Amino acid sequence: MSTHQGHEINHITDIIQVMNSGIDFYEKAQDKVQDPSVSALFQRMIDARKVSVESLQPYAINQQGAREDGSSFAVEARRAFTALLSTFTSDNDQTYIKELEEVEDKTLEEIKTALKKPQSHDCEAALSKVLLTMQSCHAEMSKMQKH
């Protein structure tokens, strides 16, 4: 049983790492976009991720004895790619929106993977709530991308 428990908590820390990277990515992108509505959208994404991370931290702390403050290499690599790509494009706002929607896809994928694994009831409830929040964020990013 402890093998399953360790694995499920490890996946929770993976979600937190992806979300932490997303927060950092949104903050950096927010400084570079021109459109105030895009900046406001990015702030909503940052806020939603911070609340979600805090709701999942007790499960990471329970397993590893400390907060998970790391970030995901996959998201960091995407951020580096976006920074490079944005130097070659005239519409940086749309570049960031497109790439950040991909970050939202990765976040949803990680949460859904965790929900397929055996979880305690309270952890599953927290993940389900985070999934709803992140689905809303993804929908808002998709809408902005089509705008």
Side-chain angles (χ1 to χ4, degrees):
M1 178 71 175
S2 65
T3 303
H4 288 296
Q5 185 179 16
H7 188 65
E8 76 188 51
I9 296 300
N10 284 334
H11 208 80
I12 299 299
T13 60
D14 291 345
I15 293 167
I16 292 171
Q17 289 174 3
V18 167
M19 292 184 131
N20 283 340
S21 292
I23 290 166
D24 187 48
F25 196 169
Y26 277 111
E27 288 172 343
K28 287 183 174 36
Q30 192 177 33
D31 291 339
K32 303 207 185 300
V33 296
Q34 304 297 317
D35 185 339
S37 67
V38 173
S39 181
L41 169 67
F42 289 2
Q43 187 60 53
R44 288 192 300 278
M45 301 297 123
I46 291 165
D47 294 344
R49 284 173 173 272
K50 286 181 177 178
V51 168
S52 295
V53 164
E54 287 309 310
S55 73
L56 296 175
Q57 282 291 1
Y59 306 102
I61 293 168
N62 188 37
Q63 176 62 29
Q64 62 189 23
R67 290 177 56 85
E68 176 56 61
D69 293 321
S71 60
S72 167
F73 174 74
V75 177
E76 296 300 322
R78 180 163 289 285
R79 185 180 61 184
F81 171 74
T82 302
L84 178 64
L85 187 63
S86 69
T87 63
F88 298 111
T89 181
S90 61
D91 190 0
N92 287 353
D93 290 10
Q94 281 302 312
T95 300
Y96 283 112
I97 290 168
K98 180 181 183 298
E99 294 303 317
L100 286 164
E101 193 206 1
E102 294 294 324
V103 171
E104 295 300 329
D105 287 340
K106 174 70 172 158
T107 303
L108 290 173
E109 177 185 314
E110 292 296 329
I111 296 166
K112 289 174 181 176
T113 297
L115 281 167
K116 290 177 185 172
K117 299 175 187 278
Q119 304 284 0
S120 65
H121 292 296
D122 57 337
C123 183
E124 187 174 330
L127 283 168
S128 295
K129 184 175 180 181
V130 168
L131 178 63
L132 289 174
T133 299
M134 291 299 104
Q135 286 172 327
S136 176
C137 288
H138 183 268
E140 198 170 353
M141 287 300 291
S142 293
K143 183 179 175 185
M144 183 62 85
Q145 185 177 0
K146 292 172 183 156
H147 183 263

